[in-house]
Amino acid sequence: MIRSALISGAGVAGGVLAWQLAERGVEVTIVEKATGQRSSGNPVDVHDQAMRVAEHMGVADELRAAATGVRRMAVVNRAGKRVASLPAALVNAGTDGVEVPRADLASILVRAAGTRANVIFDESIAELHDGPNGVDVTLESGRSARYDIVIGADGQHSRVRSLAFGPERQFAHRLGMFVATVSAPGSEVDPALMTMLSAPGRSFSLHPSTGIPIGAFIFHSPLAEGFDSRTADASRSIVAEAYAGLGWRVPEFVERFLAAPDVYFDTVTQLRLDAWHRGRVALLGDAASSVSLFGDGSSTAIVGARTLADAVAEHPDDPAAAFEMYERRHREVVGPKQKGVATVSRQLVPRTAFGLGMRNTVLRGMQAYAALRFGRSGAGGAALA
């Protein structure tokens, strides 16, 4: 009988899974290696099925209150000249959700989970031993306990995956790109506008978020293939060299990145595993199927958490059957997204001037369509300058 569960990772996937399992009568503990709630501040979309999960959890109104005010997006060239401008209603067509800073999303979900589960920060799994009657877990603090199931919801560099499945290098497929972000408190931006600068092989996005703007660098680099994510010191020079010579506000944010004590920097990586479960241990979210920037990861993780909880409820006496059901159902959601990652990455950050020109032609066509659909003022009055 699945009566207890340990979840590694107090993020989007872990928070939803804890709430969902607890609702189904499972005693849940979450461990998070950070000392407090931490997550990337980058805005993410919560929509469609994921928004319905949020409604069921009673947090949809909180998500709407935490949403960004972005109503349009613009693309500019390396000199800052506008190439195209689109209403957000067109970019997000067909969804019924919201855009929320990832840190706020994780905080809201984990806070909800904390009303039903035990959340322990500044703690992580040191060892786990899977057996026929449970998983014996030793934490970094030295505490130990047995759980009926253990779930790794601890991100792309999952500790649970390393312990139970093998080292990350076996499953990581890098796309030859880096992503780096830095927050910019006090920076002046239009709160309704997200702007992206494009140059061959490089992209810089400025997002107003909910008051503390975020600068994001996404770029191709031959250094990405052999990069060790643990050597973060190298990130400063890599970003500075990649973005030398670009105009608009890029120099300002490169300087911010060089000076900031806390930045995000990693390779754009897709994870591919033949199985997401082994014995009484399973993986969820980015730990199982990271598609990095281009896979609608937060909404997918929320839906996956509900799918996993449903499978446990349907097979309360058989963890293997529960995990097999979860994986079979959720791979139908994740599979198409993973197949499209390489194509989307080329569209978002074209490597050549020709590819960039083709992408901009498409955007200008979308702008013309938006003018016809929404009028010159755009959706909700957003200008199409």
Side-chain angles (χ1 to χ4, degrees):
M1 190 74 177
I2 301 175
R3 297 187 177 89
S4 64
L6 176 66
I7 300 172
S8 176
V12 173
V16 175
L17 180 63
W19 193 98
Q20 297 281 335
L21 286 176
E23 185 188 40
R24 292 157 176 78
V26 178
E27 182 179 343
V28 183
T29 299
I30 305 176
V31 292
E32 168 58 52
K33 65 180 180 180
T35 56
Q37 184 62 52
R38 289 192 64 196
S39 185
S40 164
N42 294 342
V44 296
D45 291 326
V46 181
H47 56 78
D48 299 329
Q49 291 187 54
M51 198 64 184
R52 289 192 283 276
V53 173
E55 294 276 7
H56 179 69
M57 293 176 62
V59 299
D61 287 344
E62 284 188 79
L63 296 186
R64 294 186 184 102
T68 72
V70 171
R71 301 170 67 195
R72 54 197 172 98
M73 67 166 289
V75 177
V76 300
N77 61 21
R78 60 193 300 160
K81 182 180 179 181
R82 184 166 294 189
V83 173
S85 180
L86 302 169
L90 179 63
V91 178
N92 297 320
T95 71
D96 60 353
V98 294
E99 182 186 62
V100 185
R102 186 180 177 93
D104 292 344
L105 173 61
S107 179
I108 290 168
L109 295 173
V110 172
R111 188 163 59 245
T115 65
R116 299 176 174 223
N118 183 28
V119 183
I120 305 172
F121 289 101
D122 195 21
E123 185 65 280
S124 61
I125 297 174
E127 299 178 9
L128 57 81
H129 300 281
D130 191 4
N133 299 314
V135 186
D136 294 317
V137 178
T138 301
L139 302 178
E140 292 290 350
S141 65
R143 290 181 290 181
S144 61
R146 174 175 291 181
Y147 298 90
D148 292 322
I149 57 174
V150 171
I151 309 298
D154 44 355
Q156 179 175 315
H157 305 298
S158 170
R159 172 69 170 162
V160 170
R161 190 184 61 235
S162 294
L163 290 170
F165 294 77
E168 182 176 320
R169 64 178 179 273
Q170 294 182 6
F171 316 111
H173 296 263
R174 293 180 173 174
L175 301 183
M177 302 170 70
F178 285 115
V179 56
T181 63
V182 61
S183 60
S187 182
E188 294 185 5
V189 297
D190 182 341
L193 178 67
M194 190 279 281
T195 307
M196 181 173 70
L197 177 148
S198 294
R202 294 168 288 176
S203 169
F204 171 74
S205 298
L206 178 54
H207 197 293
S209 191
T210 53
I212 300 179
I214 300 291
F217 306 88
I218 308 172
F219 57 103
H220 295 272
S221 173
L223 300 175
E225 183 60 34
F227 184 76
D228 186 341
S229 62
R230 294 169 295 182
T231 59
D233 290 345
S235 66
R236 314 286 176 166
S237 61
I238 291 174
V239 169
E241 291 173 10
Y243 284 81
L246 291 187
W248 190 52
R249 301 187 66 175
V250 171
E252 170 194 346
F253 276 82
V254 168
E255 287 300 317
R256 285 182 179 272
F257 188 84
L258 294 174
D262 187 18
V263 297
Y264 175 82
F265 183 86
D266 209 340
T267 57
V268 177
T269 301
Q270 185 179 48
L271 290 168
R272 304 174 194 161
L273 285 83
D274 292 335
W276 297 341
H277 66 279
R278 181 168 293 178
R280 290 174 174 265
V281 180
L283 303 174
L284 175 65
D286 284 349
S289 56
S290 171
V291 289
S292 209
L293 297 175
F294 315 114
D296 198 19
S298 293
S299 283
T300 302
I302 290 171
V303 172
R306 184 191 60 185
T307 301
L308 176 51
D310 285 346
V312 168
E314 291 188 46
H315 296 281
D317 299 317
D318 191 344
F323 292 159
E324 287 171 7
M325 175 177 285
Y326 146 69
E327 184 169 339
R328 183 175 65 254
R329 291 176 175 175
H330 196 50
R331 279 192 184 273
E332 293 180 0
V333 177
V334 172
K337 298 179 185 296
Q338 286 195 312
K339 289 180 181 178
V341 166
T343 298
V344 174
S345 69
R346 290 192 296 269
Q347 293 172 344
L348 182 65
V349 190
R351 296 186 66 114
T352 66
F354 176 77
L356 185 59
M358 292 292 292
R359 197 281 310 274
N360 289 344
T361 298
V362 172
L363 290 176
R364 284 189 286 267
M366 293 175 66
Q367 177 175 295
Y369 168 74
L372 292 173
R373 177 176 176 182
F374 298 110
R376 292 300 301 174
S377 62
L384 286 175

